[in-house]
């Protein structure tokens, strides 16, 4: 049995709490938030508090709080095993006097959408093998994909995630804008979008690349540029160039 | 019963032929390719030819050939109902003397991967309601998502598809490159990639946008830029700017 205290009231804190409450091998000793109102819904299932000096004793303290609060909040936690859940903060940003670690579920969470941790990679880091193994056991109670990722690797992963998540989503937005402008239902593109993302489980994105940029089909590229507004044009040109540079490597 | 002749030997021709051969309400009268060797595998299931003057009589002639061959090949087909399967060519590029139409399955095909036409949108166009209805009946024999899309709309859809397919895939490539450089397994990102594409079936991409650009988190953006090579940096900056411009609208 592993006991945890979860600090935070955002999406990650919420979904981790839900998941740990539903598993037999973890006991959620307490939840902490700056205001108890934010975690009120758990008041009948576990102890809740907004007083950081009154935290219960637990094996692991999980800081699921905003990146820039991690140092400050961790500095109040003495002689404890403290982990944060952030993709972009180093382990050593933790300012507690005790043991440190990272427990980073790599997924984009929204409160309203149910989360299946079994499909979510856990990127773990700790100072000692023993602590790593504890985090691994903890992650395995709710998940199955566990990766040992150090702080340097995690920072790179976070940039990579910006490309494959935030920037990809922006490409969807531009596609959607073009459809809206010409009264074409965006849903026509959804199966292609699904296929594009599914494909790279089987082949590398480099091998999966198709389209006018890859073929250097200058006639189609010119036709496309004529149809776009200035800002779309700039994006189209640069990514076309970037695809073609990649081809040359 | 609808009879068809399919012209072409590429991925679209191949998968349409397979699908129509497997359905009861369509008869594939003949396949044509510039060289019969390319369509040899169908020699025992239907008639094959490389002589365009010897085409069988059919209700619909489907030109699943490369974009720049559509005008030329169609000019040999007199007094027939000819459709092409291209996303970027107008209906009037067809040079046959008879009726014209478009039968465009919007998906990216590869020969080795099985195709489920039931999930693929068919974008249809014809000169008359009667011909449109024929194409609709034909599409419904193998698919279920049918859209009436005229040539202007289809050309816009094609640009939009470049963004949501080719450009998205390039974002995956950059993500993969970053992972490779720092020895992080790219598979860690696959669930996030799946989630990102699945999300927009439920909410609009604009509403789904997250990340440092959207939050205008300049500190994270600077940290990220430091980690990228010149060409990645250029892409990161421009898409960040484009996301932020979009926010202002």
């Amino acid at each position: 049995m592993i006991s945890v205290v979860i600090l935070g009231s955002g999406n990650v804190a919420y979904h981790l709490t839900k998941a740990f409450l539903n598993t037999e091998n973890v006991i959620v000793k307490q939840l902490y938030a700056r205001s108890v109102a934010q975690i009120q819904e758990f008041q009948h299932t576990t102890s809740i508090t907004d007083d950081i000096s009154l935290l219960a004793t637990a094996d692991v303290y999980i800081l699921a709080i905003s990146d820039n609060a991690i140092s400050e909040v961790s500095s109040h936690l003495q002689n404890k095993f403290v982990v944060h859940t952030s993709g972009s903060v180093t382990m050593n940003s933790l300012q507690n006097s005790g043991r440190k670690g990272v427990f980073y579920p790599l997924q984009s969470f929204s409160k309203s959408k149910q989360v299946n941790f079994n499909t979510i990679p856990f990127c773990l880091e700790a100072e000692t093998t023993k602590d790593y193994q504890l985090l691994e056991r903890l992650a395995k109670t709710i998940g199955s994909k566990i990766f040992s990722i150090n702080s340097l690797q995690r920072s790179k992963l976070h940039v990579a995630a910006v490309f494959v998540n935030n920037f990809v989503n922006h490409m969807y937005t531009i596609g959607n804008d073009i459809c809206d402008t010409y009264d074409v239902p965006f849903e026509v593109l959804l199966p292609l979008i699904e296929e594009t993302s599914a494909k790279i489980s089987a082949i590398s994105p480099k091998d999966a690349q198709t389209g006018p940029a890859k073929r250097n089909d200058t006639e189609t590229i010119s036709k496309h540029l004529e149809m776009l507004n200035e800002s779309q044009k700039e994006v189209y040109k640069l990514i076309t160039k970037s695809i073609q540079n990649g081809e040359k490597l």
Side-chain angles (χ1 to χ4, degrees), chain A residues 40 44 52 56 60 64 73-74 79 83 95 102 104 124 134 144 146 148 176 190-191 198-199 210 213 217 223 226:
Chain A
Q40 204 96 52
H44 300 303
I52 202 156
V60 190
V73 173
S74 61
N79 304 314
V83 301
Q95 298 300 317
V102 178
Y104 169 45
L124 307 182
L134 175 57
S144 57
I146 319 281
S148 168
N176 198 348
L190 291 179
K199 207 183 231 176
T210 56
D217 175 350
K223 269 204 282 183
E226 279 169 33

Side-chain angles (χ1 to χ4, degrees), chain A residues 190-200:
Chain A
L190 291 179
L192 179 65
I193 285 172
E194 281 287 329
E195 171 73 13
T196 305
S197 71
K199 207 183 231 176
I200 56 160

Side-chain angles (χ1 to χ4, degrees), chain A residues 199-249:
Chain A
K199 207 183 231 176
I200 56 160
S201 307
I203 57 171
S204 79
K206 203 171 167 116
D207 290 337
Q209 190 65 53
T210 56
K214 156 95 183 193
R215 291 193 307 272
N216 195 22
D217 175 350
T218 49
E219 201 180 316
T220 301
I221 293 170
S222 305
K223 269 204 282 183
H224 283 173
L225 287 172
E226 279 169 33
M227 293 191 245
L228 301 171
N229 70 29
E230 284 314 309
S231 133
Q232 292 163 349
K233 210 177 276 186
E234 220 182 336
V235 173
Y236 189 104
K237 276 187 194 165
L238 184 64
I239 302 185
T240 294
K241 191 181 87 176
S242 180
I243 292 173
Q244 296 184 338
N245 285 342
E247 286 307 304
K248 283 187 215 124
L249 295 180

Side-chain angles (χ1 to χ4, degrees), chain A residues 155-169:
Chain A
S155 68
K156 310 306 179 182
L157 203 49
H158 195 253
V159 197
V162 167
F163 281 90
V164 305
N165 173 14
N166 306 150
F167 289 178
V168 159
N169 188 76

Side-chain angles (χ1 to χ4, degrees), chain A residues 1-7 20 24-30 55-63 77-84 96 98-103 126 128 130-139 141:
Chain A
M1 184 68 78
I2 305 171
S3 60
V4 300
V5 168
I6 298 171
L7 299 92
F20 285 137
E24 281 186 1
N25 299 311
V26 176
I27 173 159
V28 180
K29 289 284 265 308
Q30 198 176 35
L55 291 190
T57 301
D59 297 323
V60 190
Y61 293 75
I62 301 173
L63 258 61
L77 306 174
Q78 299 309 317
N79 304 314
K80 299 183 191 315
F81 182 27
V82 180
V83 301
H84 71 64
N96 60 305
R99 293 134 58 212
K100 298 168 188 181
V102 178
F103 191 83
T128 65
K130 207 176 148 210
D131 281 346
Y132 181 84
Q133 285 164 347
L134 175 57
L135 294 183
E136 193 174 39
R137 277 200 294 133
L138 183 61
T141 62

Side-chain angles (χ1 to χ4, degrees), chain A residues 29-163:
Chain A
K29 289 284 265 308
Q30 198 176 35
L31 303 179
Y32 161 86
R34 266 178 302 183
S35 146
V36 279
Q38 299 167 300
I39 45 176
Q40 204 96 52
E41 73 169 286
F42 295 108
Q43 64 178 318
H44 300 303
T45 32
T46 183
S47 147
I48 62 172
T49 182
D50 57 6
D51 186 342
I52 202 156
S53 68
L54 294 179
L55 291 190
T57 301
D59 297 323
V60 190
Y61 293 75
I62 301 173
L63 258 61
I65 61 184
S66 64
D67 289 0
N68 48 28
I70 289 174
S71 289
E72 209 277 313
V73 173
S74 61
S75 71
H76 297 287
L77 306 174
Q78 299 309 317
N79 304 314
K80 299 183 191 315
F81 182 27
V82 180
V83 301
H84 71 64
T85 59
S86 165
S88 57
V89 173
T90 62
M91 180 168 69
N92 288 322
S93 301
L94 290 164
Q95 298 300 317
N96 60 305
S97 60
R99 293 134 58 212
K100 298 168 188 181
V102 178
F103 191 83
Y104 169 45
L106 201 170
Q107 187 53 279
S108 116
F109 296 93
S110 55
K111 214 159 201 166
S112 58
K113 211 183 158 202
Q114 228 187 313
V115 170
N116 176 6
F117 279 103
N118 239 319
T119 65
I120 295 178
F122 281 91
C123 303
L124 307 182
E125 184 179 9
E127 294 166 307
T128 65
T129 307
K130 207 176 148 210
D131 281 346
Y132 181 84
Q133 285 164 347
L134 175 57
L135 294 183
E136 193 174 39
R137 277 200 294 133
L138 183 61
K140 278 187 177 159
T141 62
I142 54 174
S144 57
K145 303 181 178 206
I146 319 281
F147 294 88
S148 168
I149 303 281
N150 64 36
S151 288
L152 180 69
Q153 289 175 313
R154 201 173 52 254
S155 68
K156 310 306 179 182
L157 203 49
H158 195 253
V159 197
V162 167
F163 281 90

